[in-house]
Amino acid sequence: MDYIQTLFTSVNQVGEKIDSYKSSLNLINPGTCENLSKEVSKDILLSNYAFTGVRADVTKGFCTSPWFTVSHAFALGSQVLPPYSFSTMFGGEPLFLRGSVDNDGAVQAMLNCTWNSNVLSKVQMQLSNGAVPNMCQIEHDHKGKDFSFSFKAMNPWYEEKLTGIYIISLLQSVTPKLSLGVEALWQKPSSSIGPEEATLSYMTRYNAADWIATAHLNGSQGDVTATFWRKLSPKVEAGVECQLSPVGLNHSAALMTGPKPEGLTSVGVKYEFAQSIYRGQVDSKGRVGVYLERRLAPAITLAFSSELDHPNRNAKVGLGLSLELPGSDEMIQQQQQQLAAQTA
Amino acid sequence: MDRISAQKDIFKKVVNKENSSIFVSLGVFAVSVAILKSRLGNFLVPQL
């Protein structure tokens, strides 16, 4: 018994030493693997914002605590957005729910549950009877003092054997500015579709307060993505993203035409003013894009999106209008307070 | 002379039409990062 007690004491002492050493390094949480290059890929570059055709959204809020809104979205001339969709949003502590249904009957639902400030679970579902496949995604994020751990399961199912796509990722701070991460993906389709596949990805992020550099290496295909972000002034941010692939950036097209080395670098800039946000982008293939968003009145926002593809002589233009109708006096007051704060 | 032509051959093998896209992307990335990191990047900030 003495031996076991001694062993436990030794293990505890080692653990305490590791903890005290980590505390002396002043490490901070590095963010999640999913948001490794969020500042460039999600905030500056246009991939999440660009649209074509005409779009109109009408949103009506019913209460603020908990937050509950319904919205109708209309789109014309878009290949991505459905002509009509109805969505609702409910947000409070600890649940956040969002659901939408479009004119083809495709249903999307999302549930976020915040267990505490460091633990978050998400469930997303997509059900349709059209060309888009049905999808269910379960995700669990855990944020530690100096690390982030995430588990994701896409279409998990058990038919004789476990099938689906499973992703585990870990991002760990090694110094107050530098963090290293690894992501493991295991894909097991049903036996009729194809063989199982496992890949490892490696990532790193250097955060020097006014600039951030990240790199991501996909271990199996050799794809490399590097980004650089810098805050040039309180209202201006700029970023660069470089994607290199030895087999081609569009993997499904590469299967048809054969592997071909391909690279793409996009440079973007974002201007954020009190009533408007401007985003501009140019890439190494000669495409130029712009996205402008301007708040015309407290409840009306106008968006303009455009992309010019010079080598292919192609152009895409989009115009959007968003109306946010307050449903109660409390919401009108809140909107006016926000407007006053922005103009101050 | 043979040495120079051998070096040219190696260069042609590494940088050819097939992977020119990779080198163009790398060059644009390097130049962009250098501009943004230096004071030259401040030309993007409007002087209102």
Side-chain angles (χ1 to χ4, degrees):
Chain A
M1 286 299 284
D2 285 348
Y3 290 117
I4 295 169
Q5 203 171 1
T6 315
L7 181 71
F8 274 117
T9 315
S10 310
V11 169
N12 274 342
Q13 281 173 349
V14 171
E16 280 169 13
K17 276 184 183 173
I18 291 171
D19 280 346
S20 64
Y21 175 69
K22 277 165 75 176
S23 302
S24 69
L25 292 174
N26 296 321
L27 300 178
I28 54 165
N29 183 277
T32 59
C33 291
E34 198 179 356
N35 290 331
L36 184 80
S37 57
K38 174 183 166 286
E39 289 79 8
V40 179
S41 313
K42 294 185 180 174
D43 289 350
I44 294 180
L45 298 184
L46 304 184
S47 48
N48 284 347
Y49 301 95
F51 65 96
T52 52
V54 182
R55 194 181 81 181
D57 304 323
V58 183
T59 304
K60 179 162 175 135
F62 286 95
C63 56
T64 52
S65 185
W67 188 262
F68 180 63
T69 62
V70 296
S71 66
H72 303 270
F74 305 89
L76 278 173
S78 171
Q79 291 176 340
V80 183
L81 298 169
Y84 171 74
S85 72
F86 172 76
S87 61
T88 62
M89 210 187 291
F90 173 86
E93 281 291 331
L95 288 175
F96 174 82
L97 295 113
R98 189 177 183 280
S100 71
V101 58
D102 69 18
N103 56 296
D104 290 328
V107 177
Q108 289 185 336
M110 190 179 83
L111 163 70
N112 285 11
C113 183
T114 311
W115 303 103
N116 62 47
S117 59
N118 294 324
V119 183
L120 172 71
S121 298
K122 298 179 199 170
V123 179
Q124 282 183 58
M125 291 190 87
Q126 183 177 295
L127 303 168
S128 71
N129 52 6
V132 183
N134 295 334
M135 195 266 292
C136 171
Q137 183 175 306
I138 301 164
E139 205 175 328
H140 184 79
D141 294 336
H142 183 93
K143 277 186 193 172
K145 194 188 165 197
D146 55 7
F147 72 94
S148 292
F149 172 80
S150 163
F151 171 76
K152 199 185 281 185
M154 292 158 89
N155 289 344
W157 198 250
Y158 191 87
E159 45 178 83
E160 294 177 8
K161 286 180 180 175
L162 193 67
T163 60
I165 300 171
Y166 300 88
I167 302 167
I168 294 175
S169 56
L170 173 74
L171 193 63
Q172 169 75 53
S173 290
V174 288
T175 72
K177 290 179 179 176
L178 181 71
S179 46
L180 302 173
V182 63
E183 184 176 86
L185 180 146
W186 182 61
Q187 187 175 355
K188 177 77 176 79
S190 56
S191 52
S192 58
I193 296 175
E196 64 182 75
E197 194 183 331
T199 59
L200 273 177
S201 300
Y202 308 94
M203 57 203 86
T204 180
R205 178 181 163 100
Y206 189 86
N207 185 344
D210 70 329
W211 63 269
I212 297 169
T214 70
H216 182 277
L217 168 69
N218 185 322
S220 70
Q221 283 147 342
D223 294 1
V224 178
T225 305
T227 67
F228 179 83
W229 171 89
R230 191 177 168 212
K231 202 172 186 72
L232 297 169
S233 83
K235 290 175 180 175
V236 184
E237 296 168 27
V240 197
E241 183 186 67
C242 178
Q243 295 171 283
L244 305 174
S245 173
V247 293
L249 294 171
N250 188 344
H251 289 170
S252 50
L255 286 173
M256 306 286 282
T257 58
K260 188 189 169 194
E262 198 179 355
L264 179 69
T265 296
S266 305
V267 187
V269 62
K270 176 185 165 190
Y271 296 90
E272 194 167 354
F273 301 112
Q275 300 295 327
S276 53
I277 299 172
Y278 302 145
R279 288 182 176 86
Q281 177 184 315
V282 60
D283 70 27
S284 58
K285 290 191 173 171
R287 285 180 298 215
V288 182
V290 68
Y291 179 84
L292 316 174
E293 196 178 281
R294 181 164 175 80
R295 191 169 282 274
L296 300 174
I300 305 169
T301 308
L302 189 70
F304 173 76
S305 169
S306 174
E307 188 188 286
L308 295 173
D309 189 346
H310 288 291
N312 295 324
R313 294 170 183 265
N314 191 9
K316 291 175 187 169
V317 179
L319 189 67
L321 185 72
S322 296
L323 289 174
E324 289 167 30
L325 306 173
S328 61
D329 293 341
E330 186 196 352
M331 293 186 83
I332 294 170
Q333 276 179 0
Q334 211 173 54
Q335 225 170 42
Q336 283 171 346
Q337 281 170 2
Q338 277 176 3
L339 186 72
Q342 281 175 351
T343 49
Chain B
M1 200 64 188
D2 287 344
R3 201 174 153 190
I4 292 169
S5 59
Q7 281 178 347
K8 275 183 181 173
D9 285 346
I10 292 169
F11 184 77
K12 277 179 185 171
K13 274 181 190 170
V14 175
V15 184
N16 53 39
K17 200 177 175 182
E18 197 157 72
N19 55 23
S20 61
S21 162
I22 297 263
F23 288 98
V24 169
S25 302
L26 274 174
V28 173
F29 182 70
V31 171
S32 305
V33 170
I35 290 172
L36 292 180
K37 190 78 179 67
S38 69
R39 286 182 186 177
L40 284 172
N42 290 337
F43 81 92
L44 290 166
V45 181
Q47 305 296 321
L48 300 174

